[in-house]
Amino acid sequence: MHLAEFNFGTLRYPWGDPRLAGFENALDQVNVIAARSPGFVGRMPDAAMEAAQEDPTGPLADRPNTASTLSVWQGAAPLYQFVTKTLHAKIMAGRTAWFVPGDSGFLVCWWVPEGHRPDVAEGMVRWRMVQNTGDSQEAFGPNGLVAAASAETTENDG
């Protein structure tokens, strides 16, 4: 099994606004770092993500001005390493300047069969599961990611 992750948040300003320049200018570099990271399998292409974000009838229709990423990893430990130990962590430390307070950094993870490429609709279903029932085998948030990464690291060390 591989681990899918979907994260999203509402931007304070429209895409292209100079106040988002620090965030927007870092996206390509963050994506390159992810693609080169051990355990990275793939991510939803920019054009597909943009189409999902802008679809007036899609899964993000009630969330205008959203920034989001959907990627697949070989496990929780490599994803956690990327999120916490690379430029990604530095960028997310500045999220209060770019995202609406209380509406940023939403994260959901879930296990998928190798080869499966989830879409935003699947990600939103999994996120709603966590919102409605908390972390479970079917979907989990940041605390579940930490626990899964720790379990994998312990397994690999033992």
Side-chain angles (χ1 to χ4, degrees):
M1 298 292 279
H2 283 163
L3 185 68
E5 72 78 28
F6 177 54
N7 69 78
F8 61 95
T10 302
L11 295 169
R12 285 181 179 258
Y13 314 104
W15 285 101
D17 186 295
R19 294 169 287 189
L20 291 178
F23 175 74
E24 289 185 37
N25 292 339
L27 288 178
D28 287 340
Q29 187 176 5
V30 169
N31 288 335
V32 166
I33 292 168
R36 293 180 179 164
S37 293
F40 178 81
V41 174
R43 72 179 179 88
M44 179 177 266
D46 292 339
M49 183 58 74
E50 188 174 324
Q53 290 171 177
E54 295 177 358
D55 182 351
T57 61
L60 296 172
D62 62 338
R63 303 190 62 81
N65 216 32
T66 295
S68 56
T69 304
L70 195 156
S71 60
V72 177
W73 295 77
Q74 290 176 345
L79 171 60
Y80 184 74
Q81 177 75 19
F82 165 72
V83 168
T84 61
K85 305 293 184 196
T86 69
L87 177 62
H88 183 277
K90 183 178 180 182
I91 296 304
M92 290 313 294
R95 69 182 167 266
T96 56
W98 304 312
F99 289 90
V100 171
D103 196 20
S104 67
F106 294 122
L107 171 73
V108 62
C109 300
W110 68 102
W111 298 103
V112 297
E114 287 186 32
H116 177 69
R117 295 297 177 263
D119 60 16
V120 172
E122 185 177 341
M124 288 303 289
V125 166
R126 299 294 179 140
W127 181 72
R128 286 186 184 103
M129 290 171 78
V130 171
Q131 298 309 299
N132 292 332
T133 61
D135 288 354
S136 69
Q137 295 278 354
E138 287 76 34
F140 49 90
N143 292 338
L145 174 61
V146 171
S150 178
E152 284 178 14
T153 302
T154 301
E155 247 177 47
N156 292 334
D157 290 344

